[in-house]
Amino acid sequence: MNKALISENISVFRSLNDISFVKFPCRLEWMLLVVCVRGSVSARIDLTARTLSPYSIMVLRPGHTVDECVESADFDGFFILVHEEKLHRLLPSMKYLVPYSLYFMNNPVIELKPEEVASLSSICSMLTTKLSERERPFHDMAVNALVQLLFYDTLGIYTLHTGNETYRRSRREEMMGTFIDLVEQNYRRERSVLYYAQKLCVTPKHLSAVLKEISGKTAGEWIDYRVVLEAKTMLRSSGLTIQEISLELNFSNQSFFGKYFKHHTGKSPREFRASSL
């Protein structure tokens, strides 16, 4: 499995040599999962030196800066790149992605148990096999199922790790977690930053400043991101008309929804739906 296997929105590699098209330093545009079974991988992540030793994992979300990435001569493990939109398509909820990423943003490397390495390695092996069988019926469904399995297995490992840590989120991180929960509960009917700021008893300016510092997105950008994500999901798979979707998402009319969607995606709802068929 030395050859890089590349599919739309997901790639699997067994060596940095297979990712020679990536030039360092770079800013990640995809979600990156690295598992080290033997040897080591070192890199500078957001200007901080990090090293993966045997039986360790690192997960990075888009936006991290990576430089000086080197693997040892005896490295054995794998690198998996997944486009964030693919995860959102399969897991259309921010509440799964955000809470744990707050902790691991500054602590991206954790140690694994042998059985956890075996589980992730097994999923990687199956995923690599399926990516090579592109002509097989239901190929996309099989790959999607394995991506979901990989995500939940990794999330389970990270969840257990946070349960064993004494880490406590800062007040700002708590605010972001609560904000994300509120958005999940209300995004279909509320797109106003003021609404969420009032719920959190802060000013809209303060809320956006906190979120921008922690996540790189303002409150308005997070709200728009969630609304657009849901709109994309509904356009792809709901079977509802564009008018019905605009009503579901509490837009005053289809025209306003169309302008909003095109502003954030570059495509009209009709163009996006046609491209997703």
Side-chain angles (χ1 to χ4, degrees):
M1 198 165 62
N2 293 325
K3 184 179 179 182
L5 296 170
I6 303 175
S7 180
E8 182 183 4
N9 294 329
I10 181 167
S11 307
V12 180
F13 307 94
R14 291 304 298 264
S15 170
L16 283 172
N17 293 328
D18 297 328
I19 322 177
S20 58
F21 56 86
V22 176
K23 304 301 180 183
F24 298 106
C26 71
R27 185 175 298 277
L28 287 181
E29 297 180 357
W30 291 27
M31 184 167 286
L32 171 65
L33 180 149
V34 185
V35 172
C36 180
V37 180
R38 186 177 67 246
S40 66
V41 177
S42 62
R44 191 169 292 278
I45 311 296
D46 299 330
L47 303 180
T48 300
R50 305 286 185 183
T51 299
L52 278 82
S53 54
Y55 286 22
S56 62
I57 183 175
M58 178 171 68
V59 176
L60 299 175
R61 292 189 63 197
H64 286 283
T65 299
V66 182
D67 194 14
E68 301 175 16
C69 197
V70 179
E71 67 183 34
S72 65
D74 61 341
F75 171 76
D76 181 30
F78 51 89
F79 305 78
I80 297 181
L81 289 164
V82 182
H83 198 286
E84 199 171 26
E85 184 171 338
K86 187 173 187 69
L87 275 181
H88 292 324
R89 194 182 311 167
L90 300 173
L91 308 160
S93 175
M94 294 187 298
K95 66 181 180 181
Y96 291 115
L97 295 171
V98 174
Y100 296 101
S101 68
L102 293 177
Y103 174 77
F104 290 100
M105 185 180 299
N106 296 317
N107 303 273
V109 180
I110 62 172
E111 302 301 314
L112 297 175
K113 298 176 182 178
E115 59 269 25
E116 292 170 336
V117 172
S119 176
L120 291 171
S121 296
S122 177
I123 297 171
C124 177
S125 179
M126 289 189 291
L127 186 56
T128 301
T129 299
K130 290 304 174 186
L131 288 173
S132 67
E133 300 173 342
R134 303 192 65 173
E135 302 305 319
R136 179 170 293 189
F138 303 106
H139 166 268
D140 290 346
M141 294 179 184
V143 169
N144 289 346
L146 287 170
V147 172
Q148 288 179 307
L149 178 59
L150 175 67
F151 175 82
Y152 284 119
D153 202 46
T154 303
L155 183 59
I157 291 170
Y158 272 51
T159 304
L160 288 174
H161 184 75
T162 57
N164 294 329
E165 293 288 329
T166 58
Y167 168 79
R168 293 184 179 181
R169 292 194 294 182
S170 69
R171 291 181 63 183
R172 292 188 169 199
E173 291 171 336
E174 289 288 353
M175 182 186 295
M176 180 168 182
T178 303
F179 169 77
I180 292 299
D181 287 340
L182 286 170
V183 172
E184 281 295 319
Q185 296 164 18
N186 300 285
Y187 70 90
R188 282 179 176 249
R189 61 178 182 273
E190 291 289 348
R191 294 188 297 277
S192 166
V193 175
L194 177 61
Y195 171 85
Y196 295 98
Q198 289 177 336
K199 288 287 185 180
L200 292 166
C201 300
V202 297
T203 66
K205 184 178 179 179
H206 179 69
L207 176 60
S208 285
V210 169
L211 297 181
K212 182 71 172 180
E213 179 183 338
I214 293 177
S215 68
K217 288 189 178 82
T218 65
E221 288 170 339
W222 272 113
I223 296 165
D224 290 337
Y225 173 82
R226 188 62 184 94
V227 173
V228 170
L229 175 61
E230 184 66 12
K232 286 180 176 180
T233 302
M234 296 175 78
L235 286 165
R236 282 194 183 102
S237 58
S238 70
L240 297 176
T241 66
I242 295 173
Q243 172 67 22
E244 289 169 335
I245 292 173
S246 69
L247 292 175
E248 285 284 325
L249 295 177
N250 200 31
F251 285 87
S252 56
N253 55 62
Q254 182 176 333
S255 176
F256 181 35
F257 169 63
K259 291 177 181 177
Y260 175 91
F261 188 86
K262 187 165 187 175
H263 173 73
H264 290 286
T265 68
K267 294 181 179 180
S268 69
R270 194 174 307 280
E271 290 170 337
F272 180 84
R273 171 169 272 176
S275 69
S276 301
L277 296 177

